[in-house]
Amino acid sequence: KQEVTQIPAALSVPEGENLVLNCSFTDSAIYNLQWFRQDPGKGLTSLLLIQSSQREQTSGRLNASLDKSSGRSTLYIAASQPGDSATYLCAVNSNYQLIWGAGTKLIIKP
Amino acid sequence: EAQVTQNPRYLITVTGKKLTVTCSQNMNHEYMSWYRQDPGLGLRQIYYSMNVEVTDKGDVPEGYKVSRKEKRNFPLILESPSPNQTSLYFCASSLSPQGQVRYNEQFFGPGTRLTVL
């Protein structure tokens, strides 16, 4: 059964730093992996989608990588800003379902 | 505007009183699903639907029902709610669960916070 883990559960860094969020999964048979952002009391915003055949995707200051064989994905945030503060979730698409990690709560200190 | 809508956004109810949470999408998506989000557990899928009149159980279907009579709507029904169904619920849709590149991104509604007393 697919399991998705995100480490760390929480992260606090000063503004301007580059940072990496981690996502690992147990079964490499996936269709794709998606990174989401969740703000308190709000819904989920899709950030990046990486297909199983891809190695990385970029959007602005965000870069997501995927290493299917090792069951890992990273979300790199460059030049962090206070507005990046949110919970970041990764979800693996396998067998008609999204399997979710519990998220990393990110706080960017001004 | 392409979107997934859910109603109500907030609901407080009592044990045993039947309720329905509506979900609608205007993107002509085939695939729709319901998730619940609980602290420390992440999101878990309740039910999903591959197309009209096709539904299937996710990881935590007990205590829930769904129907897919029209492509755009996918209501979640709690026949006899219990306090352990207090949660934040999300509806999502995508063009298809698999499929061509760029077509299987999932879009989420704003969430429904349900409290069962």
Side-chain angles (χ1 to χ4, degrees):
Chain A
K1 182 181 176 183
Q2 181 75 268
E3 293 181 1
V4 180
T5 304
Q6 289 185 250
I7 294 173
L11 181 63
S12 180
V13 301
E15 179 179 5
E17 282 199 6
N18 303 324
L19 57 97
V20 174
L21 307 181
N22 297 295
C23 173
S24 61
F25 48 96
T26 55
D27 186 348
S28 62
I30 67 171
Y31 297 122
N32 56 53
L33 184 146
Q34 230 171 314
W35 282 93
F36 292 85
R37 169 185 173 137
Q38 185 175 24
D39 295 280
K42 297 191 177 180
L44 297 159
T45 303
S46 178
L47 298 173
L48 289 163
L49 170 70
I50 311 177
Q51 300 296 340
S52 62
S53 58
Q54 297 176 321
R55 298 283 295 186
E56 65 179 304
Q57 282 285 343
T58 298
S59 176
R61 293 182 294 108
L62 305 179
N63 176 278
S65 69
L66 175 64
D67 184 342
K68 220 173 57 163
S69 61
S70 67
R72 288 185 175 182
S73 176
T74 61
L75 179 67
Y76 175 82
I77 303 177
S80 59
Q81 303 170 358
D84 295 330
S85 297
T87 296
Y88 291 81
L89 299 159
C90 73
V92 169
N93 186 341
S94 63
N95 199 27
Y96 304 116
Q97 292 187 47
L98 281 186
I99 309 298
W100 297 77
T104 294
K105 184 174 182 179
L106 177 63
I107 298 174
I108 307 298
K109 297 175 287 187
Chain B
E1 179 189 355
Q3 59 182 352
V4 179
T5 57
Q6 293 179 229
N7 282 292
R9 293 290 313 281
Y10 303 90
L11 179 60
I12 300 174
T13 189
V14 296
T15 299
K17 186 176 181 180
K18 181 179 178 180
L19 67 91
T20 299
V21 184
T22 65
C23 173
S24 182
Q25 50 91 7
N26 62 1
M27 295 169 279
N28 201 35
H29 284 171
E30 295 174 355
Y31 181 85
M32 297 184 75
S33 62
W34 276 102
Y35 297 88
R36 61 177 289 174
Q37 185 180 31
D38 301 289
L41 295 177
L43 278 90
R44 295 176 292 168
Q45 191 177 52
I46 303 170
Y47 269 94
Y48 63 95
S49 170
M50 305 272 276
N51 213 325
V52 176
E53 302 291 2
V54 181
T55 63
D56 211 342
K57 297 177 181 179
D59 292 323
V60 289
E62 294 78 20
Y64 304 94
K65 284 176 57 177
V66 292
S67 69
R68 189 88 181 275
K69 294 186 172 62
E70 306 166 278
K71 199 171 188 178
R72 63 182 293 130
N73 296 323
F74 190 44
L76 179 69
I77 303 157
L78 284 71
E79 294 271 3
S80 183
S82 62
N84 65 12
Q85 292 179 298
T86 292
S87 188
L88 179 59
Y89 291 86
F90 288 102
C91 179
S93 73
S94 68
L95 190 61
S96 69
Q98 331 176 32
Q100 299 175 24
V101 170
R102 97 174 185 271
Y103 283 158
N104 46 8
E105 180 180 1
Q106 292 216 11
F107 296 85
F108 282 78
T112 295
R113 187 166 293 281
L114 172 65
T115 301
V116 183
L117 303 175

